Amino acid sequence: MPRIPKKYINTSFFHIMVQGINKEYIFNCKKDIEKYLEIIKNAKEEVELQIVSYCIMSNHAHLLIYTDDVKKLIKFMHKINLIYAKYYNKKYNRVGYVFRDRYKTQPIFFERHLYYCIDYIHNNPVKAHICDSPSKYKYSSYNQNCFEVKSSINNNIRKYIDSKKFNKEKNEVFIFMEYEENKEQICIKLINEFALENNIEVSKLKNNKHLVINLVKELRKEYKISYRIIEKQIGIGRETLRKIANGSGLK
């Protein structure tokens, strides 16, 4: 059993992301997606945890899981990915890894982060230009969670999805520890990954107008990283960064 990070102990909500090896498609058709959902359903009943929301795309999947024991989460993810990998390799007559890494885990500590995560998961197909509304995508929990159970958690999640009027300010159902994400560490990680993907040194990013614009927009829109932190990491002043985010700057 791997060591459990301390930050996982103080929450019961986890955003899980799995992706195909080399970003390859691992859900090639309707039957593949339905098989993965079937595996998830069987495993969740055995391990006893809740699937709050989900979205299955062609080369990756998102799950938002609720569990009172992180060991159950580890057991669950190991089980579903192992079973699906065996199914996938046999079906497509291949060998080797199916998933990139095992999976990525993002603990959720605030109620507002929980609802933001749900929106993010359900809007994956919209962001990928597969559809113009999450309601039009079949393989997510937006319209109906096929793993739904009768609980206050699922009832309130469904209320939020259906009405979008759920009170995000009051913490009536979910209780989280006081926690502040280390945005600077997140920013450093994202910038390093961006530089690696674009085959450029971090120190030289500020000299590439096109890459800087894409990077800043991603850091601001997708991850809500402050201008102060971005300025510190890439060496471009805050006022210029604001102009970039607004569609100008670096003329």
Side-chain angles (χ1 to χ4, degrees):
M1 179 72 68
R3 182 180 65 85
I4 299 170
K6 290 182 179 179
K7 65 180 180 178
Y8 292 177
I9 296 174
N10 297 323
T11 184
S12 297
F13 291 91
F14 301 90
H15 175 203
I16 304 297
M17 297 154 280
V18 297
Q19 186 178 54
I21 189 75
N22 297 321
K23 299 184 180 181
E24 295 173 3
Y25 280 18
I26 52 174
F27 305 109
N28 296 305
C29 61
K30 173 183 176 181
K31 289 187 177 180
D32 288 346
I33 295 176
E34 290 177 345
K35 181 64 177 181
Y36 195 59
L37 291 173
E38 176 190 334
I39 293 169
I40 289 173
K41 182 177 181 180
N42 292 336
K44 92 171 188 63
E45 292 174 354
E46 178 182 331
V47 178
E48 298 181 339
L49 47 72
Q50 290 187 41
I51 309 297
V52 179
S53 61
Y54 65 87
C55 183
I56 315 298
M57 302 289 283
S58 296
N59 74 339
H60 70 283
H62 292 268
L63 302 172
L64 181 56
I65 294 174
Y66 174 83
T67 178
D68 57 2
D69 185 352
V70 73
K71 292 180 181 178
K72 292 181 179 179
L73 173 67
I74 295 170
K75 180 180 178 181
F76 171 77
M77 290 307 304
H78 174 74
K79 189 176 187 68
I80 66 171
N81 284 356
L82 178 63
I83 293 174
Y84 185 77
K86 288 181 178 179
Y87 154 84
Y88 188 84
N89 280 341
K90 182 177 180 180
K91 178 179 178 180
Y92 294 101
N93 192 29
R94 68 186 295 277
V95 295
Y97 293 108
V98 172
F99 294 98
R100 177 187 180 187
D101 304 321
R102 292 181 302 169
Y103 54 88
K104 291 186 177 181
T105 308
Q106 179 187 38
I108 306 295
F109 294 92
F110 290 120
E111 185 176 355
R112 67 179 184 273
H113 290 168
L114 181 74
Y115 291 110
Y116 177 83
C117 183
I118 292 169
D119 283 343
Y120 172 80
I121 288 173
H122 287 155
N123 276 287
N124 255 244
V126 177
K127 185 177 178 182
H129 305 292
I130 294 173
C131 55
D132 58 12
S133 168
S135 64
K136 295 180 181 180
Y137 191 69
K138 184 177 180 180
Y139 302 109
S140 84
S141 55
Y142 186 89
N143 292 313
Q144 182 179 4
N145 188 342
C146 65
F147 309 116
E148 189 172 3
V149 295
K150 292 182 179 180
S151 71
S152 60
I153 294 170
N154 286 89
N155 288 339
N156 282 288
I157 294 299
R158 181 49 50 188
K159 185 188 299 183
Y160 169 74
I161 294 170
D162 290 343
S163 70
K164 291 297 179 75
K165 294 180 180 179
F166 193 96
N167 190 336
K168 298 183 185 181
E169 299 302 322
K170 293 183 180 180
N171 200 3
E172 297 173 347
V173 178
F174 305 103
I175 301 174
F176 297 97
M177 296 288 291
E178 286 299 319
Y179 177 82
E180 182 176 352
E181 289 180 304
N182 190 331
K183 291 286 189 178
E184 187 164 328
Q185 288 186 1
I186 293 173
C187 184
I188 292 171
K189 179 177 181 292
L190 292 171
I191 290 173
N192 285 335
E193 289 179 350
F194 182 88
L196 185 62
E197 289 175 1
N198 290 278
N199 195 29
I200 189 173
E201 295 178 15
V202 173
S203 61
K204 295 180 180 179
L205 269 172
K206 63 181 180 181
N207 299 321
N208 189 309
K209 174 183 174 181
H210 177 71
L211 291 181
V212 167
I213 290 173
N214 290 340
L215 173 61
V216 172
K217 286 183 176 180
E218 180 179 349
L219 292 176
R220 290 292 300 157
K221 183 177 180 180
E222 301 295 335
Y223 300 96
K224 313 300 180 186
I225 305 294
S226 71
Y227 294 118
R228 178 185 62 81
I229 293 176
I230 300 173
E231 174 188 31
K232 182 178 178 181
Q233 299 306 321
I234 64 177
I236 296 177
R238 270 173 266 186
E239 288 305 315
T240 301
L241 292 173
R242 288 190 180 92
K243 291 178 181 178
I244 292 171
N246 293 327
S248 59
L250 288 182
K251 297 294 187 181

